Amino acid sequence: TVPFKVRSINQSLLDHLKQRCERALFHAVNATSIEFMMQFAQHSNAKHLEAMCLHFERNQKLGSQVA
């Protein structure tokens, strides 16, 4: 039905917008903000931001092991 399709499209657009916002927020992630951003991601159900924060943390740990 048309209403279902419109709702589905709206949800898809919202999901896309949320992912774009999460990517934009990731640019603010650094060694001093990582803990806050991780908590924010978890409390906001921002799964992409959380995954990017975990990736950042792994890279930080790897970088400190090499140095």
Side-chain angles (χ1 to χ4, degrees):
T1 66
V2 173
F4 178 75
K5 288 180 183 179
V6 170
R7 246 183 306 195
S8 181
I9 291 169
N10 283 342
Q11 186 60 47
S12 178
L13 291 172
L14 288 174
D15 289 342
H16 178 72
L17 178 59
K18 182 179 177 186
Q19 288 177 18
R20 289 185 64 161
C21 291
E22 290 178 42
R23 280 194 296 271
L25 283 171
F26 180 67
H27 292 291
V29 173
N30 57 44
T32 56
S33 69
I34 185 66
E35 186 176 332
F36 171 80
M37 293 301 262
M38 179 64 84
Q39 289 176 358
F40 173 79
Q42 291 169 341
H43 291 287
S44 303
N45 198 31
K47 297 299 182 189
H48 295 281
L49 179 58
E50 184 177 358
M52 289 184 278
C53 287
L54 289 170
H55 180 76
F56 179 86
E57 285 182 328
R58 280 192 301 270
N59 284 346
Q60 289 293 106
K61 289 177 184 174
L62 286 174
S64 66
Q65 291 175 354
V66 172

